[in-house]
Amino acid sequence: MRYLAFTLALWLVSSSLSAQDDPVVMTVNGVPVTRSEFEYSYNKNNNEGVIDRKTVAEYAELYANYKLKVAAALDEHIDTLTSFKTEFAQYRDQQVRPTMVTDEEILSEAKKAYDRAKESIGPRGLVQPAHIFLRLSTKATPQEQEQVRQRADSVYNALKGGADFEELAKKVSQDARSAEKGGLLGWMQQNQTYQEFEDAAFSLQPGELSRPILAPDGYHVILMKNRKQLEPFGQLKDMIVRSFEQQGIRDAIAEQKLRQQLSDGSLTKEEVMKRRADSLAAVDPEMKYLFQEYHDGLLLYEISNREVWDKAAKDERGQKAWFDAHKKDYAWSEPRYKGIAYHVKDKADVKAVRKCVKKLPFDQWVDALRSTFNPDSVIRIRVEKGLFQKGDNPTIDRLVFKVPNTSVQPGLADYPIDAVYGKKLKKYPEDYTDVRAQVIADYQDMLEKEWIASLRCRYPVQINHEVLKTVNQHK
């Protein structure tokens, strides 16, 4: 009993100290937000690269709204959806899998790869030859074979006479890739090329020149540039590890370990990964808040899409009502032209185009013109449709806004007749579709504010302003 009492007292003291070290900044719907959690989010979203940086007090209100939306999503049981669970698990596992593999294990794999390479290279080491190559077809006639042999001898004799190897390689070698580099090839080990070439190359010392060597692809005159043994592992270690990381070796090892843990069937993959994530979160606050950030972010995205983003984007009746009530907010300082600029070959098509679209809604003009005038590979007209302001389109500028010295649009030489059809809107859009993107954005902003107001009434929010003052100010 004494031991139990001592343990309980120790736990109470530890909990008290922990609470003092990490006090609660706010409580949203009964869920506490500690200072460390708030600081993680605040510092991440208010670094020096952020243009619209917030004060701690400003960010606290935004963070409270964020937590309100999360509370709403949880009440909607979004976290129980299969789609949510799948996406969150995928992200969580991306963070967890690399931690299943230690740097020592990567280094061990690198050493194994080095040992395999060293064994493959063998005692003959590595050579870096340069060559001048003269191609010889396997179907060459005896006469053609003799001609190529004589050319190879001429190259060899020229080199022995003092000709520059690099210059001669650039001029006559038929290996285009190495010829650009004066005949230089990469480092080679045994069993990488034709036996005839290999035997000749490995018999040379740096600076030595071979006689013409006949290989299955033709004649080679080889100049040995350098030779070496494979460098010690310590010298190549970082390069091998870096290459392994780029090739995803860490993920491959993690997958192998995961399969081993699942082999006896006692655990599922989800259970293994969740346990690993929980153990990481218990010792690494950054990882803990990263998991929570993505978890809550997914909830936020889904609930916001339902309540604001997708809702506003699909509600055309609401968009129209919003526009009609706030039309003055969309006034222009300069007029716009709602219509088309078009280019034709035949003057008769100028009237034909107008007749085609005259009684149609604006959003149907393009399809009607395409099916009427450009139904197949024969293009009768070129059209630009939109809501234009001065400077957007040379044809509109010239024919509608009467801008002097307007340049002719390039690329329309085959369509010399320019015309326009539509209407000039002097001050306001004709309807909400003319400024749909802005209307949707404003409508979403209104829905967002209404939603936040309702959440503030629905869920209690308490901000501890004294603790808030200590954010980033404590040791």
Side-chain angles (χ1 to χ4, degrees), residues 339-388:
I340 55 173
Y342 61 103
H343 319 275
V344 299
K345 299 178 179 181
D346 188 339
K347 193 172 183 179
D349 280 340
V350 173
K351 291 185 178 180
V353 166
R354 295 174 180 175
K355 184 177 179 181
C356 175
V357 301
K358 186 175 182 180
K359 296 182 179 180
L360 295 176
F362 187 58
D363 60 1
Q364 296 180 17
W365 286 15
V366 171
D367 289 339
L369 292 172
R370 184 184 294 113
S371 61
T372 303
F373 296 94
N374 302 335
D376 49 37
S377 58
V378 179
I379 308 298
R380 285 171 59 187
I381 65 171
R382 297 286 188 183
V383 182
E384 299 100 41
K385 170 181 173 287
L387 186 67
F388 303 95

Side-chain angles (χ1 to χ4, degrees), residues 248-264:
I249 187 67
R250 191 175 293 269
D251 195 61
I253 297 174
E255 181 63 28
Q256 183 181 16
K257 284 188 167 185
L258 183 59
R259 285 198 299 267
Q260 291 173 351
Q261 294 182 56
L262 299 176
S263 60
D264 63 3

Side-chain angles (χ1 to χ4, degrees), residues 292-315:
Q292 181 177 321
E293 179 183 27
Y294 198 76
H295 178 275
D296 291 353
L298 285 176
L299 292 175
L300 176 70
Y301 177 84
E302 182 60 34
I303 194 71
S304 296
N305 210 35
R306 293 183 185 184
E307 298 294 332
V308 178
W309 304 329
D310 202 41
K311 183 177 180 179
K314 291 180 177 179
D315 184 9

